[in-house]
Amino acid sequence: MKRNTVDVITLGCSKNLVDSEKLLRQLQANGYRVTHDSEDPEGEIAVINTCGFIGDAKEESINTILEFCEAKEEGRLRRLYVMGCLSERYLKELQVEIPQVDKFYGKFDWEALLADLGKPYHTEIGRERSLTTPSHYAYLKISEGCDRKCAYCAIPIITGRHVSRPMEDIVEEVKWLVSQGVKEFQVIAQELTYYGVDLYKEQKIAELVERIAHVEGVEWVRLHYAYPTHFPEDLFRVMRENANVCKYMDIALQHISDSVLERMRRHITKEETYALIEKFRREVPGIHLRTTLMVGFPGETEADFEELKEFVRRVRFDRMGAFAYSEEEGTYAAEHYKDDVPAEVKQQRLDELMDIQEGISAELGMAKVGKTLKVIIDRIEGEYYIGRTEYDSPEVDPEVLIACGEGETPLQIGAFYDVEITSSDDFDLYGTVVSDSSQVSV
Ligand code: SF4
């Protein structure tokens, strides 16, 4: 147990990660040594930043808290704090159920943790944070919360209403991150397309993305978590005309059956969904779409599921994730619908859908063989440099593996290279460098 050392453990999504990075920076400014390694905690203080999105995530958060409680009871830890979505959602219950934790904070009041450690909050370091990602990319959170009312979703209950960050503030953060060596920006929000409505009374995502793309030093901007209804069409032009805006969109579509969409309260129809995808592909040549789908929503029939499979086969998403419906207390669905699709049917549908996508992904990967793509190198792993193209977001999408054995030209982490794709497997691509494009702007 190292003195004056704090382990920050982050669970859940990249939005949580940004909060942890801000906390890490504040702790460092107060003279603490910090680590961000859940596998190997070593400090006398631990802070767990939890996720409370769905059942599995909640379980993981609670198990992690309990592991650290054990460490405290065995004398391997002096103080334990918990923050994030789970404690925002279940603060009172957790205080009663897990008294070994010194203090629970919600999602937005973690700054009080510093005061409880007897340390000040350093306002002068403002938007600075300690990046936990490789230094060439960073997540950029442009808003908090969500104003939509999707029936199954607990996020608005946890994070509250949509709050956009002022555009100036975001652009200043981008400039600061560029000065720290960041080249690639993973723009994140619960609901990307709503950006600006609260603050500027209109959707402003297109203007924001264009301003970020124009900051000198920004090489790639990647957009995550769009909602399909009232999609801001000016974003198509911005994506098409700015070469450094990745031709990539993470847009959760959830389902395609009209009756399921209606009960999900998604305010979009099957026909409108197909039309949006078609428009995307027409307006933004080369666009790669990632989506998330849900199986087993209350009342989902075999016929609904058949429609969903047909949707996946027809659209051929570049990347797709899926999950089984989990009833979340407090949501519209939990209060109005019976969770009537048996767990084994949900699992079977999930497996079937993922099987279809696996075949599609493998075919789409194979179609890239022989092409030369611009790749950023993230890290070295075993015998390979691991990189990504503009069509791949970190952690979730395919990677490009480039041999780094003896006799191979050494590559630089965080640099761009033109890579010829030589083969693919079910998920990843393999390639060889044909030229260094690190100095060439996109
Ligand atoms: S738009 Fe996304 S975050 Fe908002 S309620 Fe719907 S699913 Fe939840």
Side-chain angles (χ1 to χ4, degrees), residues 324-367:
Y325 171 74
S326 122
E327 185 176 274
E328 290 304 314
E329 53 194 342
T331 59
Y332 183 90
E335 282 165 11
H336 294 82
Y337 308 135
K338 190 165 175 275
D339 185 6
D340 57 357
V341 180
E344 60 278 13
V345 175
K346 285 180 186 166
Q347 188 58 47
Q348 190 193 325
R349 288 179 183 172
L350 188 61
D351 294 343
E352 236 183 287
L353 208 61
M354 290 315 292
D355 270 359
I356 298 171
Q357 181 62 29
E358 208 172 286
I360 294 168
S361 296
E363 283 168 23
L364 294 174
M366 219 137 46

Side-chain angles (χ1 to χ4, degrees), residues 198-218:
D198 53 319
L199 206 53
Y200 306 108
K201 309 296 167 228
E202 57 180 322
Q203 288 172 298
K204 284 275 195 184
I205 185 68
E207 186 180 330
L208 175 67
V209 172
E210 194 149 47
R211 286 188 62 180
I212 295 170
H214 287 178
V215 173
E216 208 181 323
V218 172

